[in-house]
Amino acid sequence: MTRMTTRRSLLAASTLAFGLTALPALAQDWPTAPVHLFVGFPAGSSPDTIARLVAEPLAEALGQPVVVENKPGAGGVIGVQQMLAQKGDGHSIGITINGPLTTAPRLIPELGYDPQADIAPVGLIATSPLVLAVSADFAAQDAAAFVADASARPGEISYGSVGQGSGAHLTAELFAGEAGVELYHIPYKSYAEVTTAILGGEIDAGFMAPSGALPHVEAGTMKMLGITSATPFAQVPDVPVLAGQAGLPDDFRAELWNAMIAPAGTDAAVIERLNGELQTILANPEIQQKLLAIGWQVQPGAPADLADRIAADTEMWGAVIDKTEAQQ
């Protein structure tokens, strides 16, 4: 019995060893052609800049060109659709923001794909919180005073966003719901218009990227009352987190993020190789500084971490969408 058990153990061990060595071998044979990196935003946008920062060192590591394919439209959805239209052989991957994977299924009835079934997560790249911004003349000096003012004047405090269902709109509604206040939403066509409206006194507030608010704060025309990340953000370290204050829960968090994805069915060894190369790239201090300069903080992790983030954010934003009827 002991000899049989020993033989079975040795067989199992050799099988496991073969599997562990065979898995990387599959990835070592890949890529055999240029890798196309689909981005659902135009050249010069943040996702495009991030893609190009990643593409160059990734190409060097893989020994094949990594070609950035800009396919803008529908808040990044077109880029994901175009990636999924290619062969799932590891030569077509994507970099996307969170919207096409979390809110788009609720906001776009004819989306044409299911993030849970059709997407293979590779890894998070970076996150970017939003700041609650008001003009320098606004009376409230912090988030608690802002919420107190909104409580005293239900529906009178206005905020701007770049449209129904946008990140800024959903973040403001999440904030309002958690704080127990009612805010008045005014949509605009661009963040530039939102900023101008805040500075001109047309609206009271807006949730925007720290990099967008920072020049006006430095000029003394705008204030940042709080930030939506779970911890202080390196680009604006003195801005307090909103979590745990003004009636908000301690785990309050609302972030934009960029991630690398691939079509479902892409070989697991290729996903593992891509994730490993991505982690090496994100560990480079120069890459980290370049990302921070455009308002993004690196967020490394395994494919499973990205899958968990997609699931959690889909649930969180889905509840906000249902409550606000943003899909209508």
Side-chain angles (χ1 to χ4, degrees), residues 137-164:
D137 297 329
F138 193 80
Q141 297 298 316
D142 55 34
F146 181 90
V147 169
D149 190 6
S151 297
R153 298 187 291 143
E156 294 183 26
I157 301 281
S158 60
Y159 73 91
S161 82
V162 291
Q164 190 89 342

Side-chain angles (χ1 to χ4, degrees), residues 70 73 87 107 154 201 255:
N70 296 100
K87 293 181 180 178
L107 295 171
E255 294 173 321

Side-chain angles (χ1 to χ4, degrees), residues 129-134 143 146-147 157-162 166-177 179 181 183 185 190-191 194-195 198 203-210 212-213 222-229 240 242 248 252-256 317:
L130 299 176
V131 293
L132 173 57
V134 298
F146 181 90
V147 169
I157 301 281
S158 60
Y159 73 91
S161 82
V162 291
S166 66
H169 169 228
L170 296 180
T171 297
E173 291 301 325
L174 177 66
F175 168 85
V181 297
L183 304 176
H185 178 216
S190 68
Y191 278 112
V194 173
T195 301
I198 292 173
I203 57 176
D204 297 306
F207 279 89
M208 62 178 61
M222 186 176 281
K223 297 182 292 191
M224 292 184 281
L225 303 184
I227 196 161
T228 62
S229 50
L242 291 169
L248 298 172
F252 180 84
R253 182 184 69 180
E255 294 173 321
L256 306 178
W317 294 124

